[in-house]
Amino acid sequence: MEYVRNSDLKPACSDWPVHMQRAIDLAESVLTACPNPRVGCVLVRGGQVISEGWHSAAGAPHAEAMALEAAGPAAREAVAFVSLEPCAHHGKTGPCSEALIAAGVATVVIPMQDPHPAVSGKGIAQLAEAGVEVIMMVDFEDAARAINLGFLSRVERGRPRVRMKLAMSLDGRTALSNGDSKWITDVASRRDVQLLRASSSAVLTGIGTVLADDPSLTVRPEEMGLSADQRQYNALNLQNPPLRVVLDSALRTPAQSNLLAAAGRVLIYSAAAAPSAELAGLENCELKVAGNEARVQLHPVLESLASEYYCNDVLVEAGPTLCAAFLRSNLVDELIVYVAPKLMGSDGKALLDLHGIQTMADTPTFEVIETQQLERDVRLRLLPQVN
Ligand SMILES: NC(=O)c1ccc[n+]([C@@H]2O[C@H](COP(=O)([O-])OP(=O)(O)OC[C@H]3O[C@@H](n4cnc5c(N)ncnc54)[C@H](OP(=O)(O)O)[C@@H]3O)[C@@H](O)[C@H]2O)c1
C-alpha cells in the first residue's frame, strides 16, 4: 500500500481530494448505521464520477456494493474512493474487498484503516494480493475518523462515545423553583434534539428525570422538520430506533410510565434491586444489573452498552444528578448545550449538581468547537479539556 499526502499527488490525480471529500460527505449524510460505521464510496473512471454509494443501515448494502451495482460493467478499471478500508469478512452482506476485485476496480483509495478486528488490514491485504492498487490519503484521516467517532470509540475503547445534551437559561437554570421547565428552549432546539436522538444508538436518562418529567425519549420524525430533505429523512433508521436506557438503582421506574408505554425497547440498569411483578412482566423492558454497589455504576453500564448492545453513540439526556456524575467520572466526550436567552432566577434549579470546587485550577473546562444560533437559542458544542 502507498501512503500519499495531498501535496504529493501527481497532476493526473489532482481531483482526488474532491472525490475523497465527497465519499466522506456521503457517509456523513446518514445519521447512523449503528452498529456499523458510516461509509461512503465514489467510483471514478477517466476523471468522471460514474457512481456513488453509502451505507444507510446495518443489513443494507455497503457503500462499495451500492456504487458497484449502480456502475455495472463501467466499474472495470475504475478508481474507488472509499471513506474507510473495505471490509473483508462475511457479515450480513458479503465482503466488499471481494466485490471490488470481482468488478475489476483498478485502484482503491482510502483515508484510514478499519480498526475492527474482523477487518483491520485484511481488506487492504486482500485487495493488494489480487493486484488492486491501494492508496492511503493520509491527509483525510482526521476527517474520516470524525464521522465515525462512536464506532471508533466502541471498537478501540470498548465503550460508546458519550454525548451529553443540556438545555438551560442564560443564568444556567433548568427549571423554576416550582419545578416548571416546559419549555426552556425554542422549537428549533427541540427539533435539533430529535436529530441528535436519531443519530444515537441509545438515549440514556436517570430515574430522577423519569419520575419528574415522565418523558418517552422517542424519535419523532414529524417533529424534525425534515420534509425538505427527503434524503436525510430516508437516512433515518426508523426500523432501528435508539435504545432507551434508564439508570435506576432501586427500580422505581413506574410500569405505566410514558417511556414504557411508547413502542420500542427500554433497558433499565439497577443495583440488583427486585423488580415489581408489573415491571418484570413487560415485554419491551429488559432489566440489567450494573456493578455491585448500592448505586448503578457508570463504567459497567457503558461497557455493557458497547459489548452486549453494540451501541456506538450514547446520548445522555438526564437531570443535574446523573449529568454531574458522568462529568465527574470523565465519561463525557462531547457536551451539546442549548442556551435560551431568558433568565429563570437564582432560586431556579441549577444545570448540574456539582459542589465543592475550591480552586479555579479545579474547574472543569471545555473547548468550544461550534456555536450555532437556532432561532432565538444558541447551541454550543464543547469538548472536555483534559488537564
Ligand atoms: N435541562 C435539561 O437538559 C434536562 C434534561 C433532563 C432532565 N432535566 C430535569 O432534571 C430534573 C431531574 O433531575 P435529577 O437530578 O433528579 O434526575 P437525573 O439526573 O435524571 O436522575 C438522577 C438519578 O439517577 C440515578 N442514578 C443511577 N445511577 C447513578 C449514578 N451512578 N450517579 C448518579 N445518579 C445515578 C439516581 O437515583 P437512584 O440511585 O435511585 O437510581 C439519581 O437520583 C427534572 O426536573 C428534569 O426536568 C433537565
Side-chain angles (χ1 to χ4, degrees):
M1 182 172 58
E2 195 185 333
Y3 293 80
V4 293
R5 303 208 75 96
N6 291 348
S7 53
D8 297 335
L9 285 168
K10 297 185 188 111
C13 305
S14 60
D15 55 353
W16 279 21
V18 174
H19 299 314
M20 182 52 80
Q21 187 58 54
R22 176 69 183 157
I24 291 171
D25 291 347
L26 286 170
E28 200 175 13
S29 69
V30 173
L31 286 173
T32 176
C34 184
N36 294 344
R38 301 190 290 177
V39 184
C41 174
V42 178
L43 285 180
V44 176
R45 202 167 84 162
Q48 301 296 314
V49 174
I50 52 174
S51 65
E52 296 182 334
W54 56 90
H55 181 48
S56 60
H62 285 190
E64 301 92 317
M66 183 177 174
L68 290 171
E69 166 84 23
R76 188 153 290 283
E77 295 304 318
V79 181
F81 294 85
V82 193
S83 62
L84 186 68
E85 176 185 4
C87 71
H89 61 299
H90 289 267
K92 287 184 178 167
T93 58
C96 289
S97 51
E98 283 179 16
L100 289 160
I101 294 163
V105 165
T107 305
V108 173
V109 188
I110 55 173
M112 65 177 286
Q113 208 166 304
D114 184 341
H116 195 287
V119 183
S120 190
K122 299 186 185 80
I124 294 170
Q126 274 190 15
L127 289 164
E129 275 161 30
V132 178
E133 183 184 31
V134 183
I135 296 180
M136 179 85 80
M137 289 184 78
V138 291
D139 291 335
F140 281 92
E141 182 176 353
D142 288 349
R145 286 188 68 88
I147 56 170
N148 280 315
L149 291 176
F151 169 78
L152 295 171
S153 173
R154 178 170 67 79
V155 173
E156 294 175 344
R157 302 191 294 184
R159 73 159 177 87
R161 171 171 68 144
V162 175
R163 293 183 294 178
M164 179 179 284
K165 166 255 155 183
L166 296 164
M168 66 176 199
S169 63
L170 205 52
D171 51 349
R173 303 287 141 178
T174 60
L176 298 175
S177 56
N178 63 11
D180 190 4
S181 63
K182 286 200 171 50
W183 297 101
I184 305 168
T185 50
D186 267 337
V187 173
S189 297
R190 302 203 300 273
R191 196 181 279 163
D192 199 65
V193 172
Q194 284 288 322
L195 280 168
L196 268 181
R197 283 184 191 170
S199 65
S200 302
S201 325
V203 178
L204 183 150
T205 195
I207 181 62
T209 297
V210 172
L211 295 176
D213 296 354
D214 197 14
S216 65
L217 298 179
T218 49
V219 172
R220 298 182 289 274
E222 65 280 9
E223 288 179 26
M224 291 183 193
L226 285 180
S227 52
D229 189 349
Q230 282 301 314
R231 184 57 219 296
Q232 198 172 18
Y233 190 87
N234 289 339
L236 285 176
N237 193 350
L238 297 177
Q239 303 305 314
N240 188 18
L243 192 60
R244 290 163 303 142
V245 181
V246 187
L247 306 198
D248 176 8
S249 310
L251 285 181
R252 291 182 285 151
T253 302
Q256 299 75 18
S257 60
N258 284 332
L259 195 77
L260 291 162
R265 282 199 305 165
V266 175
L267 188 55
I268 304 180
Y269 285 97
S270 76
S276 66
E278 255 180 314
L279 200 58
L282 290 172
E283 269 188 15
N284 64 337
C285 178
E286 200 176 330
L287 305 175
K288 304 281 294 181
V289 173
N292 53 8
E293 294 182 31
R295 192 167 237 193
V296 171
Q297 301 298 295
L298 303 184
H299 282 92
V301 165
L302 293 180
E303 281 155 18
S304 157
L305 288 173
S307 65
E308 296 177 79
Y309 298 91
Y310 304 101
C311 290
N312 290 346
D313 284 281
V314 169
L315 180 67
V316 175
E317 283 194 54
T321 312
L322 189 54
C323 285
F326 265 93
L327 283 164
R328 271 195 301 267
S329 308
N330 292 322
L331 286 171
V332 179
D333 298 305
E334 182 177 328
L335 271 184
I336 298 145
V337 185
Y338 298 86
V339 185
K342 53 182 74 156
L343 300 171
M344 292 169 73
S346 51
D347 54 350
K349 296 204 172 145
L351 182 67
L352 292 163
D353 196 8
L354 280 177
H355 298 278
I357 301 171
Q358 299 291 342
T359 68
M360 285 309 285
D362 291 334
T363 54
T365 306
F366 301 85
E367 178 194 355
V368 179
I369 55 164
E370 190 189 275
T371 58
Q372 189 181 348
Q373 186 153 355
L374 298 169
E375 290 179 10
R376 285 178 297 181
D377 301 335
V378 173
R379 184 187 70 183
L380 302 174
R381 287 180 57 214
L382 309 111
L383 302 182
Q385 278 190 342
V386 184
N387 294 326

